[in-house]
Amino acid sequence: MKFGGSSVGGTEQLDRVAEHVLDKRALQPCVVVSAMGKTTDALFAAARAARGGDIDAALATIAPALGHAEAVAGELLGEHDAHALAAIAVVRDELHVLLRGVAMLRELTPRTTDTIVAYGERLTSLLLAALLAQRGATVLHVDARRFLRTDDRFGHARPQRDLIARLVAEHVAPHLRAGTIVVTEGYVGATAEGYTTTLGRGGSDWSAALLGEALAAEEVQIWTDVEGVLTADPRLVPAARPIDVLTPAEAAELAAFGAKVLHPSTMQPAVDARVPITVRNTLLPRGAFTTIDPRTDVAARNGIAALATRGPVTVLTMTSTRMLATSGYLAKLFAAFGALDICIDLVVTAEISVACTVEPDAPIERLVEQLAGLARVEIARDRAIVAAVGEGLRSAPGTVERACRALLPATPELICFGGNDRNLSFVVHRDQAAAAMQRLHDEFFPAVAPAKAAPARQPRPAARIAPAAGHTFEASP
Ligand code: ASP
Ligand code: MG
């Protein structure tokens, strides 16, 4: 059971989470938590302030989050849980020492950053473990650094799954089997030398999936503040509604294209271990939820499972005469991207030009320099990707036509289709992304007339057919 930042953000929320975990104690839950609310942002900001040498600013930046955690701890645990309150005071003291060190040295390495930002998850996990203990549960806080072994790419460490399996079997599984609830930190890991690492922003979901895999769990539950994965971002499309089932590849595609539901890497371990992932609403624990399962019946839908958008992105159009009848041209072009560590999202080619999308902060000036003599580069900033995702898209007749017609009068600047069987992507000006989402949603997810009693959603579970032959999972970043 993984609880996100909004599910553990305050007294009421933590109280609800504790009740919820206790409710499920017969299922031997292993609990993974995120940092409370925006604590991770505050920790990053404090670390940056300290690097500038301003310790007062750094401490002031983190003070509200620490004060909030201490207030919540006081309220929930009361004065008599001296042990838990002391553990939380230790977190505060260690953080202050670290920030002072950074401020004195005016040096902030990625390794130190990870050590600092990991305290957010540490606070919540200590707090929740203490709370469960106070309510009579047999509970153990296990430091994630004992089992979540990673490499040393600080800030976006890669988990070492074989080692994790072994360490989880040693440090987590025996407690669960004995009926002890285990509470641990998401997002945080450690290298073989014991240096603290993090899995990248939003990485707690991934932690939960890694644990689910290592424990061969029945299910990985991602508890958040929405009813599962929605057909679109409800801030852009108010009529967006929860989806019953998705394939892992669809979920990964949606995550990669901007749906802020799950960390894109979450699906891989769950797929490999064949553990279904459910995305559930902490506020409505018995309400609707989404199941991400490879056995999803995709034949039952209209070709599109959900929409996502991501922006701003920058479109680069590279034009050269050398592309005519030459081989190896694209390799040379993309080698320059690789050398500068620029990730490409979408690619489209024409006779003598290639267009692709990159992140807005990519070192484009340096790229243009490197490509001098090879290609002329046109740069279009402030664009957005609008993606329609659904298994079997390539073979669903008329879907592309319907989507293009729905977008009218707007015409997309780029169209990407056929790279796999589940993604149809458009690039539009950033200002048009919301309207494009709305129009596509109207087309593919028309409001269900209230007169009809037919349910808007498919019956559950719709996991009936196996994935098509040749289906491969390809979402590992
Ligand atoms: N607390 C981390 C973040 O804000 C990890 C997570 O919440 O998944 O990115
Ligand atoms: Mg998250």
Side-chain angles (χ1 to χ4, degrees):
M1 303 174 87
K2 178 262 176 178
F3 295 91
S6 57
S7 298
V8 292
T11 310
E12 243 172 79
Q13 288 91 333
L14 270 168
D15 187 64
R16 201 177 294 125
V17 165
E19 284 313 311
H20 211 45
V21 172
L22 287 173
D23 221 36
K24 295 284 176 291
R25 92 173 103 178
L27 297 175
Q28 303 184 342
C30 178
V31 182
V32 177
V33 287
S34 285
M36 298 166 100
K38 301 262 171 266
T39 302
T40 309
D41 290 338
L43 286 163
F44 272 105
R48 279 193 300 270
R51 180 183 56 196
D54 190 345
I55 184 61
D56 292 334
L59 296 182
T61 305
I62 197 58
L66 286 176
H68 177 65
E70 281 174 330
V72 170
E75 252 173 85
L76 283 172
L77 302 173
E79 297 306 311
H80 37 273
D81 198 340
H83 182 71
L85 296 176
I88 288 163
V90 167
V91 168
R92 183 199 50 212
D93 293 347
E94 288 182 7
L95 250 177
H96 283 190
V97 170
L98 279 163
L99 290 171
R100 274 184 204 287
V102 169
M104 288 175 81
L105 296 167
R106 298 191 188 202
E107 182 185 74
L108 180 66
T109 61
R111 195 168 93 187
T112 304
T113 305
D114 271 0
T115 302
I116 290 173
V117 300
Y119 277 97
E121 269 68 14
R122 186 152 185 86
L123 268 177
T124 359
S125 55
L126 287 171
L127 202 58
L128 182 61
L131 188 57
L132 288 165
Q134 204 178 62
R135 307 226 164 141
T138 318
V139 55
L140 185 69
H141 175 264
V142 179
D143 189 323
R145 291 171 295 188
R146 292 177 82 106
F147 59 83
L148 211 125
R149 179 65 57 79
T150 70
D151 68 4
D152 62 358
R153 294 184 149 217
F154 297 99
H156 43 267
R158 278 173 307 202
Q160 296 171 337
R161 288 156 69 189
D162 292 346
L163 293 171
I164 291 172
R166 225 186 298 150
L167 294 167
V168 165
E170 190 182 332
H171 297 290
V172 182
H175 300 298
L176 295 173
R177 271 198 304 273
T180 301
I181 298 172
V182 170
V183 180
T184 188
E185 299 92 359
Y187 182 51
V188 176
T191 65
E193 296 78 24
Y195 292 117
T196 303
T197 55
T198 63
L199 299 180
R201 296 306 305 268
S204 293
D205 300 331
W206 197 5
S207 299
L210 289 161
L211 267 164
E213 176 183 39
L215 291 166
E218 258 170 67
E219 181 181 330
V220 173
Q221 301 185 341
I222 306 287
W223 290 91
T224 174
D225 57 357
V226 284
E227 285 178 276
V229 185
L230 304 188
T231 48
D233 183 339
R235 287 165 302 184
L236 298 176
V237 183
R241 51 181 187 252
I243 306 163
D244 265 331
V245 287
L246 283 172
T247 66
E250 286 172 335
E253 199 81 26
L254 286 168
F257 282 84
K260 287 181 191 61
V261 186
L262 288 179
H263 186 287
S265 303
T266 310
M267 271 58 76
Q268 185 82 55
V271 165
D272 292 348
R274 304 195 76 67
V275 181
I277 301 172
T278 56
V279 183
R280 295 162 181 267
N281 187 345
T282 323
L283 296 171
L284 297 165
R286 275 168 249 288
F289 61 91
T290 302
T291 305
I292 300 168
D293 192 319
R295 293 160 302 163
T296 300
D297 177 9
V298 292
R301 40 168 120 89
N302 63 9
I304 306 252
L307 306 172
T309 184
R310 188 152 65 77
V313 298
T314 298
V315 177
L316 302 178
T317 307
M318 294 152 288
T319 309
S320 165
T321 44
R322 292 208 198 167
M323 197 165 160
L324 272 178
T326 50
S327 59
Y329 177 76
L330 288 178
K332 276 184 218 148
L333 211 58
F334 289 141
F337 283 76
L340 291 169
D341 211 8
I342 302 177
C343 287
I344 298 173
D345 283 319
L346 302 177
V347 190
V348 183
T349 66
E351 189 203 6
I352 54 160
S353 52
V354 187
C356 66
T357 62
V358 298
E359 288 296 307
D361 55 358
I364 292 169
E365 284 73 35
R366 285 170 60 202
L367 179 77
V368 172
E369 271 167 39
Q370 291 228 347
L371 292 179
L374 205 61
R376 183 165 46 79
V377 185
E378 268 170 71
I379 304 162
R381 295 189 183 275
D382 287 325
R383 301 308 197 262
I385 300 173
V386 173
V389 172
E391 215 67 72
L393 248 182
R394 213 160 29 191
S395 44
T399 312
V400 183
E401 291 89 323
R402 271 174 77 194
C404 290
R405 217 174 307 118
L407 287 176
L408 288 170
T411 22
E413 295 177 18
L414 288 183
I415 302 178
C416 262
F417 180 60
N420 61 26
D421 198 18
R422 65 187 78 90
N423 186 329
L424 165 61
S425 281
F426 300 102
V427 174
V428 296
H429 197 278
R430 185 185 182 180
D431 299 339
Q432 294 177 350
M437 289 284 282
Q438 185 61 61
R439 288 198 202 108
L440 288 171
H441 201 272
D442 288 347
E443 173 66 27
F444 290 104
F445 305 95
V448 182
K452 279 190 231 155
R457 311 176 53 202
Q458 302 161 14
R460 175 192 309 279
R464 281 188 296 267
I465 57 163
H471 167 105
T472 47
F473 188 76
E474 50 198 12
S476 237

